[in-house]
Amino acid sequence: MGKPLVSIIIAAYNAEPYIGNCLDSVLCQTYGNLEIIIIDDASTDKTRAIVESYGKKDSRIVLDSMRCNSGSPAARNRGYEIANGDYLTSVDADDTIAPDTIEKCVEELDKDPELDFVTFKMMMVYPESGEIKPYPINSSVPEVMTGEEACHWSINYDFAPNGMSRASLDKNFPSETKYGQYGDETTTHLILLKAGKVKLGQGEYFYYQWQTSRTHKFSILKFEVLECRLSLK
C-alpha cells in the first residue's frame, strides 16, 4: 500500500509579500506525497503570478481561483471540493510550517485508525521583535481526548485547534461563510465534536502575528466570532 495522499489547502488573497515563504515551507516537507492546493481569492497583486511560477517547478501544486473575493472560508471550501487527499489540512498564506510537520501528523493518523484529528504544535511568531513562543495550552487538556472533549476545550481556546484530519471527516463540514473571516471557527468546533479521537501533535506551525493581519487586529470584526459561537447552540 502506498503512502496516504495529503492535501494542503492554502487560501490566498493579496499575499504577495508572504506566499513565497509559505510555499517554500510546504514544498520542503520531509513527507513528499502531497497535493498543494492554492485558491487565489481574486487577488489584485502578484499572488497568482508567484504561485504560477512555483507551479512550473513542482507538479504537486494546483492553482484555482475564485471569481470574486469571497473570504478565506469560501476559498478553503473550494479547496476541499477539489482535494483528493486521504488527509486534509490548511495553512494560511502568511504562515509557515516546519519541515517535518506533515510527516509527524501522518505518522499519528496512520498508527491509530480511531484517531480522526491531530493538532499542530502552534508557535506564535512576532516578526517585529523576532520572538517565537509556543501557544499556551491549558495544563488540564489531555494529550488524547474524545471529540466532544476537544470541542469543549477548543471553544475556550485552551489549545489551538489547527491540524490535520481524515478527509472523510473534514469534507462533511464545509466552512461556514455567513460569519465572514471567522466562519472557520464554527466548522472547526463541529469537526472536533464529530471526531472519534483527537490528539495534540508535535508538528510545528508558525503562526505569524503581523500587525496588519485581519485576525490579529482588535476590531469590530471580532463580533463575527461571537456570532459563530452563538450558532453552535
Side-chain angles (χ1 to χ4, degrees):
M1 178 180 286
K3 292 184 177 181
L5 177 64
V6 177
S7 295
I8 302 176
I9 313 299
I10 302 172
Y13 174 67
N14 286 354
E16 179 182 344
Y18 322 109
I19 190 65
N21 287 336
C22 177
L23 290 176
D24 287 339
S25 76
V26 171
L27 291 171
C28 76
Q29 290 298 298
T30 55
Y31 188 88
N33 195 21
L34 304 175
E35 176 185 56
I36 305 162
I37 301 174
I38 299 92
I39 305 298
D40 175 33
D41 193 17
S43 297
T44 58
D45 63 1
K46 297 180 180 179
T47 295
R48 184 179 179 86
I50 293 172
V51 175
E52 288 176 336
S53 69
Y54 274 82
K56 292 177 181 178
K57 302 173 185 177
D58 198 308
S59 61
R60 296 175 298 175
I61 289 179
V62 178
L63 173 62
D64 199 2
S65 300
M66 304 295 285
R67 293 184 177 180
C68 61
N69 180 243
S70 305
S72 57
R76 287 195 190 97
N77 282 347
R78 175 57 184 161
Y80 292 139
E81 287 174 3
I82 64 177
N84 298 298
D86 303 291
Y87 302 147
L88 300 180
T89 189
S90 65
V91 177
D92 285 350
D94 57 352
D95 293 335
T96 61
I97 53 178
D100 60 354
T101 292
I102 299 301
E103 182 176 11
K104 286 182 176 179
C105 291
V106 171
E107 286 177 351
E108 294 291 352
L109 289 167
D110 276 354
K111 70 184 181 183
D112 185 354
E114 295 183 357
L115 184 66
D116 287 326
F117 192 101
V118 57
T119 71
F120 293 134
K121 182 178 181 180
M122 192 66 65
M123 306 298 292
M124 313 297 286
V125 182
Y126 299 87
E128 287 77 13
S129 66
E131 183 181 14
I132 301 176
K133 57 184 181 180
Y135 182 90
I137 299 176
N138 187 321
S139 60
S140 297
V141 176
E143 181 183 9
V144 180
M145 61 197 109
T146 67
E148 187 173 338
E149 290 170 336
C151 180
H152 166 76
W153 290 112
S154 71
I155 286 177
N156 294 319
Y157 295 111
D158 288 311
F159 73 94
N162 304 67
M164 183 183 295
S165 68
R166 298 187 187 278
S168 56
L169 177 68
D170 219 325
K171 285 199 170 187
N172 285 330
F173 298 97
S175 294
E176 176 59 71
T177 59
K178 69 179 290 188
Y179 301 114
Q181 180 76 9
Y182 299 95
D184 286 340
E185 284 220 359
T186 304
T187 305
T188 299
H189 298 319
L190 287 175
I191 288 173
L192 293 175
L193 182 63
K194 296 299 182 180
K197 285 167 57 177
V198 176
K199 184 173 183 178
L200 301 182
Q202 294 301 311
E204 292 181 330
Y205 182 110
F206 298 99
Y207 180 35
Y208 285 76
Q209 300 296 288
W210 304 103
Q211 290 297 326
T212 56
S213 170
R214 178 183 167 104
T215 54
H216 182 59
K217 287 181 178 179
F218 288 96
S219 70
I220 194 169
L221 294 173
K222 291 293 184 179
F223 284 105
E224 292 173 358
V225 174
L226 298 179
E227 288 187 284
C228 290
R229 299 268 174 103
L230 289 172
S231 74
L232 289 170
K233 294 184 176 181

